[in-house]
Amino acid sequence: MTQTTPGERLGMPRRIVPALGLFLLSPLIAEYLLGNVPSSDIGGMIILAPMYGGGALIIREVTRRTGRGWPTLLLLGCAYGVLEASLIDQTLFNPDQLFEGDVSRSATLIPALGFSAGNAVGFTAGHAIWSIGVPIAIVETLVPRCGTTPWLGRLGLTVTCVVFVLGSLVLFNGIYDESGFMASPPQRIGAAVVVALLVVAAFVIGRRPRPATDRRAPKPWLVGTVGFVASAAFFVRPEDWWGPVVGLVLIAAMTVVITRWSRRDGWGVAHRLALAGGALLTYAFGGFLLLLLHGTANTVNLIGQTVLVLGALVLFLVARRAVPRASDLRGTADVR
């Protein structure tokens, strides 16, 4: 049941603006800042925003409407990652959708399942962190008075769901028309089961908040540094079988560390934003690397990437200035 907070009494424009911001920020971080889609193809936002932005907005609204916090949000992000990679763009199963320099699929291929273990870990965690978690953390910090309350009414949420479904169908049909690839029925059924299990887990795990400890939470700068080091290590993990192993170890370690830190006294908005900033910095340098690997590092795209990086840094700094206001409201809002 959603708690009543000052954020709910704000007018519609004050709630629609962050919803629209998240709708646009998610694909910008997930694909353009990453360098997976060069800035010269910015027109692709028309296709990518309904799926990425719609998915992020739906996950955020469902989490906040049910009064839950970040464990639920990130597990739903994992479900989104599996859904997109296996059932929408089918990149997990379709080798033609990967760029030529990628060797992870062949190096960590599981023939019986028809997908790469390395890509499975990368797609699932990558979408949960960068497509869903980072943009939500930034936008919620920018609007502290309604950071943890719903932004959309029933009509708005319904429209968002329709936009997400239509956008996903357009992308699916476009890729299918181009490649003619369709995952096998067992692959699609298996992926759907995994998505369902992750959704169930999202509403089971972390249902009862653990009591806080008397120890003080670490400084936000330390949290952000750890977040950057871990996310950077995840980004540059090996492309052989050590890749998924390293990825899973990093995910497990960060889950334990952040869970313990979040139970300490003083943990709050600044720490979550610091984690988002660390991950954002990883994509800031990683985007240039991917442009080089994709062979798209021409002058236009390098300038565009620089603009994206500077824009991301400015957005983070603006959000950082909003942290004191968000902290002042922590007594009346869910800050998990």
Side-chain angles (χ1 to χ4, degrees):
M1 195 173 174
T2 305
Q3 299 176 350
T4 301
T5 71
E8 292 180 339
R9 295 192 289 271
L10 295 176
M12 181 178 293
R14 295 284 296 275
R15 291 183 287 112
I16 294 299
V17 169
L20 180 60
L22 178 59
F23 186 81
L24 298 174
L25 185 60
S26 177
L28 283 173
I29 292 177
E31 293 290 353
Y32 291 92
L33 185 63
L34 171 62
N36 196 43
V37 178
S39 55
S40 57
D41 291 337
I42 193 66
M45 281 284 290
I46 298 175
I47 297 177
L48 295 176
M51 182 183 67
Y52 278 103
L57 193 50
I58 291 169
I59 288 173
R60 192 263 170 200
E61 289 297 297
V62 168
T63 301
R64 297 314 183 188
R65 280 172 173 270
T66 56
R68 295 177 182 273
W70 280 91
T72 294
L73 195 150
L74 289 174
L75 279 171
L76 289 178
C78 289
Y80 169 88
V82 176
L83 176 67
E84 179 185 328
S86 60
L87 297 176
I88 299 177
D89 62 30
Q90 300 189 92
T91 310
L92 183 63
F93 302 121
N94 184 3
D96 293 338
Q97 294 303 308
L98 301 176
F99 67 92
E100 295 180 0
D102 183 272
V103 298
S104 178
R105 176 179 171 83
S106 59
T108 62
L109 181 66
I110 305 175
L113 299 177
F115 65 80
S116 156
N119 288 340
V121 173
F123 293 155
T124 303
H127 283 305
I129 296 169
W130 284 281
S131 303
I132 305 299
V134 171
I136 290 177
I138 292 174
V139 177
E140 284 193 345
T141 306
L142 287 169
V143 288
R145 294 200 63 193
C146 57
T148 56
T149 58
W151 296 334
L152 303 176
R154 292 181 179 178
L155 177 59
L157 184 55
T158 300
V159 170
T160 302
C161 290
V162 171
V163 169
F164 170 73
V165 172
L166 291 178
S168 299
L169 287 174
V170 168
L171 185 64
F172 172 85
N173 288 328
I175 293 176
Y176 178 74
D177 290 342
E178 181 180 348
S179 67
F181 176 85
M182 179 69 72
S184 68
Q187 287 176 325
R188 284 177 282 158
I189 293 172
V193 169
V194 172
V195 171
L197 290 175
L198 286 169
V199 171
V200 171
F203 292 96
V204 173
I205 295 177
R207 192 169 186 175
R208 296 178 181 177
R210 302 285 183 87
T213 66
D214 293 332
R215 297 182 63 184
R216 290 290 300 175
K219 297 293 185 180
W221 69 264
L222 177 59
V223 174
T225 300
V226 171
F228 169 68
V229 171
S231 61
F234 184 87
F235 187 82
V236 299
R237 66 193 184 282
E239 293 188 310
D240 56 16
W241 274 101
W242 280 108
V245 172
V246 170
L248 290 174
V249 169
L250 285 170
I251 292 169
M254 287 300 292
T255 299
V256 171
V257 170
I258 294 173
T259 298
R260 291 182 176 178
W261 280 351
S262 65
R263 294 174 188 162
R264 294 185 181 183
D265 183 44
W267 179 272
V269 179
H271 299 86
R272 289 191 296 277
L273 180 63
L275 283 171
L280 194 69
L281 187 58
T282 292
Y283 266 23
F285 81 81
F288 289 102
L289 293 179
L290 277 194
L291 287 177
L292 291 171
L293 289 174
H294 288 191
T296 54
N298 55 44
T299 302
V300 172
N301 289 334
L302 288 175
I303 293 175
Q305 190 68 20
T306 302
V307 172
L308 284 171
V309 169
L310 292 176
L313 293 177
V314 168
L315 187 64
F316 173 78
L317 292 175
V318 172
R320 182 66 185 84
R321 288 178 61 86
V323 166
R325 289 180 290 145
S327 300
D328 291 341
L329 294 170
R330 66 180 180 271
T332 57
D334 176 16
V335 297
R336 289 176 295 165

